[in-house]
Amino acid sequence: LLCTGDELLNGATLNTHARALGEAFKQMGVTLTRETSIRDDRETMAKFIAEAIGRVDVLVISGGLGPTRDDVTREAVAQALGRELVVHRAFERILAKRYESVGRAFTEDRRRQAVLVEDAKLIRNPVGSAPGQRIQTEGATIYLLPGPPREFNGILEDSLLEEWQSQVETRVHEQLHMIAGIGESEVERALEGVTFADGTILGFRASPFGLELRLTSEQPDDLEAGSAILYDVFGDAIYADQRKTLPEAVTELLLKRRATVATAESCTGGLVAKFLTDQAGSSAYFLGSIVAYHNEVKERLLGVPAEIFPVHGAVSAPCAEAMAAGAKERLGSDYALSLTGIAGPGGGTDTKPVGLVFIGLATPDGVQSQEFRLPGNRDLVRTFAAMRAFDMLRKALK
Amino acid sequence: LLCTGDELLNGATLNTHARALGEAFKQMGVTLTRETSIRDDRETMAKFIAEAIGRVDVLVISGGLGPTRDDVTREAVAQALGRELVVHRAFERILAKRYESVGRAFTEDRRRQAVLVEDAKLIRNPVGSAPGQRIQTEGATIYLLPGPPREFNGILEDSLLEEWQSQVETRVHEQLHMIAGIGESEVERALEGVTFADGTILGFRASPFGLELRLTSEQPDDLEAGSAILYDVFGDAIYADQRKTLPEAVTELLLKRRATVATAESCTGGLVAKFLTDQAGSSAYFLGSIVAYHNEVKERLLGVPAEIFPVHGAVSAPCAEAMAAGAKERLGSDYALSLTGIAGPGGGTDTKPVGLVFIGLATPDGVQSQEFRLPGNRDLVRTFAAMRAFDMLRKALK
């Protein structure tokens, strides 16, 4: 992998291509042997490319395909291979129309995006204007991909992964399971002593939006057996069998049940509502939310009884339940989630420490609440709290 | 920069060293010319190192200094330079004591961390057990640093930055300016034809949370002159002279003015409230928010007159203004922001396309609104809308 761009070497940009490509390759049983980042200098690039194609089967080059004058990858590759540059006339017309349709001039610079290395095949870019290129040489296949991660990954997913997979002899199968409501260390503990068939590998990726367990094996039967083991261990905590965030899984359930939801948020300050409206079409299940930061707002807009505050405090099970009930009633939804807690870093006490969060859930059958002690800084406490709320709603909807 | 480690190439780890070192170098006016990541293979490493030291003045190598058998950087460097490996006896004793003090055995493997390349100087590691090494060859200086980012950056900050800075003749000064309310392409257009003193460089980093302009120069006077030019060009759009997001700048203003704010959100679904509560202590200025996704909720909780919907529609200036006024009144705040728009991908029409957003602002002096046409996908439209709202509030507070 050759990454080009001054921005990768002057501290401006974090290079994510090596990880993305390395992960994709690993899933196919292919090894990414080397990654190099160099600056936008045509001579340096040409020299590097000429050397590299003698060493490798596949050379992926990112960056330098855009319209500006420092985008010199096309020229450097042509120079390294001793080939000409040619204009792809059909794509040039497509590009011209695209710029025209958004009212921008199709300048000489922008036209450069239709320039291909001689005998290169154009690779469709599903998310940007500069296409990729595939170039066959005697020893190696060279892929030119745009530098922006969205476009680099977009082309990988749109066509290259499938193309590469078809060229790899052994097919590695994979099965994902997504887990919610259990912390990372608990998952690790639960997996201690669990063994799988030889050749079955369990990968593990943690994010606040759901833990991903990835089983891979060349044997589909072993994969199925491994999957059954994970269901034995984690049961109800598995919320999906494909890559999906917990909020995505919950909004799918809401749509399926034709149920509506509202939220009443204190410590999360609108974060749960934000997640609920991340997907298009959220108006089908989301009615609204009351972010009640001050107690007076909790009283006035959610109808939390004033006597709760001196007796139990705003961070308490009774307050969470009153908030959930109030949101359900005032917003007229089938379900309502409420969150009240101490996100920190200030505001904690011995009895109510930072990370203490009460989550309320109002359903057609009644109101319940749960207490959580969540780890991490303000940002993590808020995110974890939102995910625990989604998990409560998920279980109720199931 | 040579980064070693299988984990950098199999998708397990994101390599952050190039950005960290590149940024540090840039501030000194030094150029990081190349970064290469290779696997933990001694022969490959030795070959690469032998070649690289003929090309560069400084070679920084990360990773492979730990206690395990795949930590082979010491061996590879010794092989490349034709030097022996020697045990640093004094450091070996320190290490032995450290392991002893935490009750862990000082095994043969752990002892390897005290092995230095012949004639190398040990560099203190302030956060881990494996020290760094400095090796002088005829053509180049080689630095060996541990791979974990915390240790890599820890050694940089603890001693190397100062050491390098003292070797660089000129000191590069920098001045940041943060810009809001103007799109990236508008900023580029505004800067066309703008020239600065020789040696003054303008860098540019765009993010939805604020555009960062970075002026660097060896001459403080030129920097000041460049700064004045940017204020001429962008004026009121500059919201800070140091790295800071727009929401951070606005919450600082709110605290300074002792003013409170509330929000009424439709298309952003709680995102503005989320940003307002990202900082600790937000209860000093944030009262709450009503996320009114359905028109009925806009009517019931925000008091938007029902006749607005058939006449103007929910995505309109009158609706935005009624929402802002309603939020200010019902939540009892000094200021209130409202957002209503079409985030997409669905829901757009010819007259009200995706990206159309009305933002209302209620202040102690009255209610106003502005219309925006924002580019990008759902996520970007929502984020840009939130930032435009923050910018309106910022200008009102100023």
Side-chain angles (χ1 to χ4, degrees):
Chain A
L1 168 63
L2 172 64
C3 302
T4 70
D6 291 357
E7 72 280 9
L8 302 173
L9 294 164
N10 65 15
T13 301
L14 188 61
N15 188 348
T16 60
H17 297 331
R19 187 174 64 176
L21 192 65
E23 186 172 17
F25 276 177
K26 197 191 175 181
Q27 284 181 34
M28 302 178 205
V30 174
T31 305
L32 176 61
T33 55
R34 186 175 295 195
E35 178 274 335
T36 304
S37 297
I38 56 178
R39 292 190 294 156
D40 297 311
D41 176 74
R42 179 176 150 171
E43 293 297 328
T44 313
M45 284 167 62
K47 187 158 168 263
F48 183 94
I49 294 163
E51 282 169 14
I53 53 175
R55 247 195 344 248
V56 298
D57 301 316
V58 171
L59 175 64
V60 175
I61 304 178
S62 72
L65 299 180
T68 65
R69 288 285 148 185
D70 58 2
D71 290 314
V72 293
T73 300
R74 291 167 287 246
E75 288 77 5
V77 174
Q79 181 179 334
L81 303 181
R83 296 199 190 176
E84 299 293 313
L85 289 169
V86 294
V87 176
H88 192 296
R89 292 295 169 195
F91 183 71
E92 192 186 29
R93 283 191 294 274
I94 293 173
L95 257 189
K97 272 190 195 152
R98 266 194 223 158
Y99 278 103
E100 197 188 327
S101 74
V102 293
R104 296 170 68 190
F106 190 46
T107 59
E108 208 47 52
D109 277 351
R110 288 174 180 155
R111 199 179 295 268
R112 295 178 67 230
Q113 296 171 100
V115 170
L116 266 61
V117 175
E118 194 182 352
D119 292 328
K121 295 272 176 295
L122 188 147
I123 308 174
R124 195 179 86 92
N125 180 343
V127 288
S129 55
Q133 304 187 26
R134 181 195 306 102
I135 302 154
Q136 194 60 51
T137 73
E138 255 175 58
T141 311
I142 304 176
Y143 294 89
L144 311 189
L145 299 181
R150 223 175 118 252
E151 302 185 31
F152 182 91
N153 297 330
I155 293 185
L156 279 192
E157 280 157 28
D158 186 56
S159 59
L160 286 190
L161 294 186
E162 201 177 317
E163 173 182 330
W164 289 334
Q165 186 68 68
S166 70
Q167 292 166 13
V168 176
E169 281 163 34
T170 56
R171 171 112 179 91
V172 176
H173 303 269
E174 73 163 27
Q175 177 60 56
L176 294 182
H177 296 295
M178 304 296 305
I179 290 189
I182 309 185
E184 188 175 344
S185 54
E186 282 171 85
V187 170
E188 277 172 355
R189 252 197 316 274
L191 288 169
E192 263 171 33
V194 173
T195 56
F196 299 96
D198 278 356
T200 303
I201 299 166
L202 179 65
F204 181 85
R205 197 192 324 208
S207 93
F209 312 106
L211 300 179
E212 178 185 313
L213 295 176
R214 181 167 65 181
L215 281 174
T216 53
S217 171
E218 291 174 17
Q219 307 298 332
D221 289 352
D222 288 351
L223 211 56
E224 212 169 294
S227 223
I229 293 173
L230 291 180
Y231 266 98
D232 278 349
V233 175
F234 295 108
D236 195 32
I238 298 178
Y239 69 82
D241 293 336
Q242 51 183 288
R243 188 165 294 149
K244 185 178 291 183
T245 67
L246 180 59
E248 281 165 2
V250 171
T251 54
E252 279 174 20
L253 269 177
L254 284 165
L255 281 171
K256 215 164 119 187
R257 300 270 182 278
R258 297 173 184 276
T260 58
V261 66
T263 77
E265 306 185 44
S266 182
C267 60
T268 44
L271 186 60
V272 178
K274 187 257 167 197
F275 281 123
L276 280 167
T277 57
D278 273 347
Q279 271 92 50
S282 44
S283 55
Y285 52 80
F286 179 66
L287 296 182
S289 173
I290 292 168
V291 181
Y293 227 57
H294 272 214
N295 290 347
E296 212 187 302
V297 176
K298 294 187 182 85
E299 261 184 72
R300 197 149 28 127
L301 291 182
L302 288 167
V304 175
E307 60 270 24
I308 277 188
F309 303 114
V311 180
H312 304 284
V315 179
S316 66
C319 185
E321 292 177 17
M323 286 169 68
K328 182 175 184 298
E329 187 219 316
R330 308 242 169 152
L331 290 151
S333 58
D334 302 321
Y335 293 82
L337 283 168
S338 69
L339 302 96
T340 177
I342 297 159
T349 64
D350 282 354
T351 50
K352 297 197 173 176
V354 168
L356 177 69
V357 177
F358 290 89
I359 302 180
L361 172 65
T363 74
D365 302 323
V367 182
Q368 53 176 287
S369 68
Q370 277 188 51
E371 176 183 337
F372 298 93
R373 309 222 166 205
L374 303 170
N377 60 17
R378 179 179 182 84
D379 198 34
L380 277 176
V381 166
R382 283 159 40 110
T383 306
F384 282 135
M387 293 306 129
R388 296 301 166 111
F390 275 105
D391 201 43
M392 280 176 69
L393 179 56
R394 175 180 75 91
K395 285 172 179 157
L397 287 166
K398 270 189 80 178
Chain B
L1 169 62
L2 173 65
C3 302
T4 71
D6 291 356
E7 72 280 9
L8 302 174
L9 294 164
N10 64 14
T13 301
L14 187 62
N15 187 349
T16 60
H17 297 331
R19 187 174 64 174
L21 192 64
E23 188 168 16
F25 274 178
K26 196 184 176 188
Q27 284 180 31
M28 299 179 208
V30 173
T31 306
L32 176 61
T33 55
R34 186 175 295 197
E35 178 274 335
T36 302
S37 296
I38 56 179
R39 292 189 296 156
D40 297 312
D41 176 73
R42 179 176 148 172
E43 292 297 329
T44 313
M45 284 167 61
K47 188 156 167 266
F48 183 93
I49 294 164
E51 282 169 14
I53 54 174
R55 248 195 344 248
V56 297
D57 301 315
V58 171
L59 175 63
V60 176
I61 304 177
S62 73
L65 299 179
T68 66
R69 288 286 149 184
D70 58 3
D71 289 313
V72 294
T73 299
R74 291 167 288 246
E75 290 75 4
V77 174
Q79 181 179 334
L81 302 180
R83 297 198 189 176
E84 299 293 314
L85 288 170
V86 294
V87 176
H88 191 296
R89 293 294 169 194
F91 183 71
E92 192 186 29
R93 283 192 294 274
I94 293 172
L95 258 188
K97 271 190 195 154
R98 269 195 220 157
Y99 278 104
E100 197 187 327
S101 73
V102 293
R104 298 168 68 191
F106 191 46
T107 59
E108 207 49 52
D109 277 350
R110 288 175 180 157
R111 201 178 294 269
R112 295 178 68 230
Q113 296 171 100
V115 170
L116 266 61
V117 175
E118 195 183 352
D119 292 330
K121 295 274 177 292
L122 186 149
I123 308 174
R124 194 180 88 92
N125 180 343
V127 289
S129 56
Q133 304 187 26
R134 181 196 305 103
I135 302 154
Q136 194 60 51
T137 73
E138 254 175 60
T141 310
I142 304 176
Y143 293 88
L144 310 188
L145 299 181
R150 221 176 120 255
E151 301 186 32
F152 183 90
N153 297 332
I155 293 186
L156 278 193
E157 281 156 28
D158 186 56
S159 59
L160 285 189
L161 294 186
E162 201 177 317
E163 174 183 329
W164 289 335
Q165 187 67 65
S166 72
Q167 290 165 15
V168 175
E169 282 161 34
T170 56
R171 171 110 185 92
V172 176
H173 303 268
E174 76 164 26
Q175 176 61 55
L176 295 182
H177 296 295
M178 304 297 303
I179 290 189
I182 311 186
E184 191 177 341
S185 54
E186 283 171 84
V187 170
E188 278 172 354
R189 253 198 315 276
L191 287 170
E192 263 171 33
V194 172
T195 56
F196 299 97
D198 277 358
T200 303
I201 299 166
L202 179 64
F204 182 85
R205 196 189 326 207
S207 94
F209 312 105
L211 301 179
E212 178 184 311
L213 297 177
R214 183 164 64 177
L215 280 175
T216 52
S217 171
E218 292 172 16
Q219 306 299 333
D221 289 352
D222 287 352
L223 210 57
E224 213 168 294
S227 223
I229 292 173
L230 291 179
Y231 265 99
D232 277 349
V233 174
F234 296 108
D236 197 29
I238 298 178
Y239 68 82
D241 294 335
Q242 50 183 288
R243 188 165 292 150
K244 183 179 294 184
T245 68
L246 180 58
E248 282 165 0
V250 171
T251 53
E252 278 174 20
L253 269 176
L254 284 165
L255 280 171
K256 214 164 119 187
R257 301 269 183 279
R258 298 172 182 279
T260 58
V261 66
T263 77
E265 306 185 44
S266 182
C267 59
T268 43
L271 187 60
V272 178
K274 188 257 169 198
F275 280 124
L276 280 167
T277 56
D278 273 346
Q279 271 91 50
S282 45
S283 55
Y285 52 80
F286 179 66
L287 296 181
S289 173
I290 292 167
V291 181
Y293 228 57
H294 272 214
N295 290 348
E296 210 188 304
V297 176
K298 291 186 184 83
E299 261 183 73
R300 195 150 27 128
L301 291 183
L302 288 167
V304 175
E307 61 270 24
I308 277 187
F309 303 114
V311 179
H312 304 284
V315 179
S316 66
C319 185
E321 291 178 17
M323 286 169 68
K328 181 175 185 298
E329 186 218 318
R330 307 239 170 155
L331 290 152
S333 58
D334 303 321
Y335 293 82
L337 283 167
S338 69
L339 302 96
T340 177
I342 297 160
T349 65
D350 282 355
T351 49
K352 297 197 174 176
V354 168
L356 177 69
V357 177
F358 290 88
I359 301 180
L361 172 64
T363 73
D365 301 325
V367 183
Q368 52 177 286
S369 70
Q370 277 188 50
E371 177 183 337
F372 297 93
R373 309 222 165 204
L374 303 170
N377 60 18
R378 180 178 181 84
D379 198 33
L380 277 176
V381 166
R382 284 159 40 109
T383 306
F384 282 136
M387 292 306 130
R388 294 303 166 111
F390 275 106
D391 201 43
M392 280 176 68
L393 179 56
R394 175 182 73 92
K395 284 172 181 157
L397 285 166
K398 270 189 78 178

